[in-house]
Amino acid sequence: GIGINHSNVMNVVQTIEEAEKLLTGMSEEAKKLPGSDSEDEDAAARPASRNENSALWLTLVKDCLEIAFRGTLLSCSQSRKAERVPYKFHVHMEQDPSTKKKMPTLSYWCFDPGLAMQELSRTNVRSILLTSGTLAPLDTLASELSLDFPIRLENPHVIKQSQILAGVMPVGPSNGKLNSSFRHRSSASYVMELGNAIVNIARVVPHGLLVFFPSYGVLSSCIESWRARQSGVASIWERIAKIKHPVVEPKNSADYA
């Protein structure tokens, strides 16, 4: 390797910046010399000089270093970097849109949200406000985002312990297994068993009923199956609609309008 690490990357970046300025200055001086391309009418179309090309490549190298060592350049604590590696290099084959050929691609993945948050805080924003119902524990969240958050508000849940009943339904109304693993979630027997179970639950649960699915794909396939009528009998979806008013969450935010 070339020996660039967290302790010396700042010096390398500063050296590259000085070399950029030197090469750019040399290119500007060359344009002022008698007989240079800058005196021609077609100066705008002239090819880039060797110094300009070198400065461009140095800029690309500096950009790569700033991305790879962003945690250091944003003054992250050394102790935090020692805890875990916040990035991963991944080489994979990806199709080039222009040539339609698969080319090796180097991906640099960041797994540390604190790097982006620190970069945001360095823009001197007045306040950073985070709100959600699932941010707790707040100490862990602040550590992950590398920000202190001196003002914190955490409210108790609106649902009391006496209002909660946690249970597992291993089988449906026809005694069929309710197994939502990837292998079984697409089977017709499971989908029908799940739909009939929801119909029965809807009959005894007052007011609203909220049903979660593993993915939008599973949600769509289940609803499609439940809407289908068999032998003139009311479909599962129709039976649900007689008891509750079904509202399906759209996949795209534009569909909320």
Side-chain angles (χ1 to χ4, degrees):
I2 57 179
I4 300 178
N5 51 46
H6 290 286
S7 61
N8 61 18
V9 64
M10 286 296 297
N11 295 331
V12 175
V13 170
Q14 291 174 358
T15 302
I16 292 177
E17 290 176 345
E18 293 174 0
E20 284 178 320
K21 294 178 182 178
L22 177 61
L23 292 172
T24 302
M26 293 173 61
S27 297
E28 294 298 327
E29 290 296 329
K31 294 176 184 178
K32 299 177 182 178
L33 295 177
S36 63
D37 291 337
S38 59
E39 296 181 352
D40 300 334
E41 293 181 358
D42 298 331
R46 67 177 179 82
S49 67
R50 183 175 182 180
N51 289 335
E52 289 173 328
N53 284 330
S54 299
L56 175 61
W57 283 110
L58 285 176
T59 301
L60 294 176
V61 172
K62 186 186 72 171
D63 292 342
C64 291
L65 290 175
E66 288 178 343
I67 293 174
F69 293 92
R70 180 171 294 176
T72 299
L73 298 176
L74 293 178
S75 303
C76 285
S77 64
Q78 293 294 332
S79 60
R80 189 169 187 273
K81 288 196 294 292
E83 293 176 1
R84 64 179 183 275
V85 178
Y87 60 86
K88 179 180 179 180
F89 289 104
H90 178 61
V91 180
H92 58 100
M93 302 300 292
E94 189 170 295
Q95 188 177 33
D96 189 325
S98 58
T99 62
K100 304 299 181 182
K101 295 182 179 179
K102 288 189 175 182
M103 305 291 291
T105 302
L106 173 63
S107 298
Y108 182 76
W109 295 339
C110 175
F111 297 110
D112 190 349
L115 300 182
M117 293 301 295
Q118 282 196 336
E119 189 170 351
L120 175 62
S121 65
R122 284 169 61 91
T123 60
N124 297 322
V125 294
R126 184 176 183 275
S127 301
I128 298 178
L129 181 64
L130 296 181
T131 61
S132 176
T134 55
L135 294 181
L138 297 182
D139 289 338
T140 302
L141 175 70
S143 175
E144 290 291 332
L145 298 184
S146 301
L147 296 178
D148 293 333
F149 293 106
I151 301 176
R152 304 181 186 182
L153 176 63
E154 185 174 6
N155 294 318
H157 205 286
V158 296
I159 300 177
K160 300 178 182 179
Q161 290 291 335
S162 60
Q163 297 175 297
I164 299 176
L165 173 62
V168 177
M169 292 183 57
V171 296
S174 302
N175 207 35
K177 289 185 178 181
L178 293 177
N179 186 346
S180 187
S181 63
F182 182 79
R183 180 181 299 179
H184 299 91
R185 66 179 58 163
S186 299
S187 66
S189 59
Y190 161 75
V191 173
M192 293 298 105
E193 197 73 22
L194 176 62
N196 288 324
I198 294 176
V199 172
N200 289 347
I201 294 173
R203 290 194 180 106
V204 298
V205 173
H207 308 299
L209 180 68
L210 186 60
V211 182
F212 293 93
F213 290 81
S215 66
Y216 282 105
V218 176
L219 168 64
S220 300
S221 62
C222 285
I223 293 179
E224 182 179 356
S225 299
W226 296 341
R227 290 182 186 273
R229 302 187 65 177
Q230 298 179 354
S231 303
V233 181
S235 66
I236 292 177
W237 190 257
E238 290 173 335
R239 285 186 283 151
I240 294 176
K242 287 182 179 180
I243 308 168
K244 308 287 186 184
H245 175 68
V247 177
V248 181
E249 180 185 16
K251 183 177 181 179
N252 300 315
S253 58
D255 297 333
Y256 281 98

